[in-house]
Amino acid sequence: MRKKSYLRALGILLTLALPLLLAGCSSALMDPKGQVGEEQRTLIITAFALMLIVVVPVIVMTLLFAYRYRRGNDEAEYKPNWAHSTAIEVVVWFIPCVIIVVLAILTYYTSHSLDPMKPIEADADAMEIQAVSLDWKWLFIYPEQGIATVNEVAMPEDTPIRFRISSGSVMNSFFIPALGTQIYAMAGMDSNLHLIANEQGVYDGRSTNYSGAGFSGMTFKAHALSSEDFQAWVGKVKASPDSLSFDQGYPALAEPSRNAPVQYFSDVPSVLYDNILNSFRKGMPEKHGNDGMEQSAQSKESVNAEAAE
């Protein structure tokens, strides 16, 4: 009896302390910093609330039934021959069906409105950043600025970003939780992801697809900056003495390494991303660099000729 009193007091204490313990937790998905992330948060909360319409009554009725028909309650009505209730059947089938229909409509609508390949409408022009997953690091290429970085990406605030995403190795998944959708990075495939940061800050980015022993260090920081700070950041990268091309520097960079530090490259050819893509196409990864580009052009000509025939 005394032991039960201790356990009951401990349970009450833990319940009261739970809000304080959870106060230190944070969730990037529930505290988004971009338009896409906000729409996804609304979708999650809406779907969760709809499902609670079924879950909460079930929990409440389970507790009420257990209390009402407890062993010591002689006032509860006893119906040993009860077998069917039309009213109950209507409720337990109609409400879940309505919820499923609403969820289906919601899913159809958001599947199109949150399509990762759909450009984001904004006052500013979109900017392109190319992201390549390597073992075990992220390479970010800025074709308009002619620069590249490793494990650090920066973007101006309120500017739509078109991420072109691929892999120089095995499959990974590109994800900045505070901004929204994740999308897979696969060798030879050119995926597109449109995101926008509506609030300045530094957000965590990572791969969410396990890719080997160095996976845990495959993280990066995403900096959402003002236009002036972004230009200053570009200037800092351009001041780097290092350059990068598919034939010079990239082969060494693509070698597996763990917990790779941030690196800046001030001079990067605009065809680097396409070179990486083409190196995996047609099942002939040994054809790199300009040869790969030439081979791709020949392949397109061949396909066009076949289509013409």
Side-chain angles (χ1 to χ4, degrees), residues 166-179:
S166 187
S167 173
S169 179
V170 299
M171 185 172 74
N172 284 278
S173 185
F174 178 83
F175 191 26
I176 305 175
L179 300 186

Side-chain angles (χ1 to χ4, degrees), residues 124-130 140-148 154-156 159-164 194 230-231 233-235 237-238 265-274:
D125 294 333
M127 191 179 82
E128 180 176 311
I129 300 176
Q130 300 159 347
F140 297 101
I141 305 168
Y142 290 73
E144 299 171 16
Q145 290 77 15
I147 60 174
M155 63 198 80
T159 298
I161 305 296
R162 177 198 176 199
F163 283 100
R164 294 180 65 189
H194 292 266
F230 176 73
Q231 292 303 324
W233 180 84
V234 172
V237 177
K238 282 185 173 293
F265 300 98
S266 59
D267 184 20
V268 177
S270 59
V271 294
L272 175 59
Y273 183 79
D274 292 323

Side-chain angles (χ1 to χ4, degrees), residues 4-261:
K4 288 185 177 178
S5 300
Y6 287 147
L7 291 175
R8 185 178 301 169
L10 180 61
I12 295 174
L13 182 62
L14 289 176
T15 303
L16 294 175
L18 191 60
L20 294 177
L21 295 174
L22 294 178
C25 299
S26 62
S27 172
L29 291 177
M30 293 294 105
D31 186 24
K33 305 300 180 185
Q35 175 184 330
V36 176
E38 290 179 356
E39 293 182 17
Q40 289 180 336
R41 178 183 60 181
T42 301
L43 174 62
I44 292 172
I45 294 175
T46 303
F48 184 70
L50 286 172
M51 288 185 282
L52 286 182
I53 294 175
V54 171
V55 174
V56 171
V58 169
I59 295 175
V60 172
M61 285 191 293
T62 300
L63 297 175
L64 288 177
F65 276 44
Y67 178 77
R68 179 175 177 78
Y69 297 103
R70 67 189 185 278
R71 184 177 181 180
N73 186 13
D74 298 330
E75 297 179 357
E77 189 176 1
Y78 178 57
K79 294 182 176 179
N81 297 321
W82 182 88
H84 179 76
S85 171
T86 302
I88 293 177
E89 290 287 341
V90 170
V91 171
V92 300
W93 285 105
F94 178 72
I95 294 178
C97 287
V98 171
I99 292 174
I100 290 173
V101 170
V102 174
L103 285 175
I105 295 173
L106 192 64
T107 302
Y108 177 84
Y109 173 76
T110 52
S111 295
H112 291 81
S113 65
L114 293 174
D115 183 349
M117 297 186 181
K118 182 180 178 181
I120 297 173
E121 296 182 0
D123 295 335
D125 294 333
M127 191 179 82
E128 180 176 311
I129 300 176
Q130 300 159 347
V132 182
S133 66
L134 302 172
D135 289 333
W136 289 274
K137 60 190 85 72
W138 287 95
L139 170 64
F140 297 101
I141 305 168
Y142 290 73
E144 299 171 16
Q145 290 77 15
I147 60 174
T149 62
V150 170
N151 283 348
E152 183 178 290
V153 62
M155 63 198 80
E157 179 188 18
D158 293 329
T159 298
I161 305 296
R162 177 198 176 199
F163 283 100
R164 294 180 65 189
I165 300 169
S166 187
S167 173
S169 179
V170 299
M171 185 172 74
N172 284 278
S173 185
F174 178 83
F175 191 26
I176 305 175
L179 300 186
T181 311
Q182 66 168 324
I183 198 164
Y184 288 111
M186 291 177 279
M189 296 193 67
D190 185 18
S191 301
N192 283 269
L193 174 63
H194 292 266
L195 295 175
I196 186 171
N198 298 119
E199 186 175 323
Q200 296 181 29
V202 181
Y203 311 122
D204 293 325
R206 65 186 73 249
S207 170
T208 57
N209 192 83
Y210 181 73
S211 57
F215 165 76
S216 60
M218 198 172 174
T219 61
F220 61 89
K221 295 294 184 183
H223 298 258
L225 308 170
S226 65
S227 298
E228 295 76 15
D229 290 342
F230 176 73
Q231 292 303 324
W233 180 84
V234 172
K236 185 172 69 172
V237 177
K238 282 185 173 293
S240 169
D242 300 326
S243 60
L244 182 70
S245 68
F246 190 71
D247 297 318
Q248 301 293 328
Y250 177 75
L253 183 66
E255 290 293 323
S257 63
R258 299 186 184 185
N259 301 314

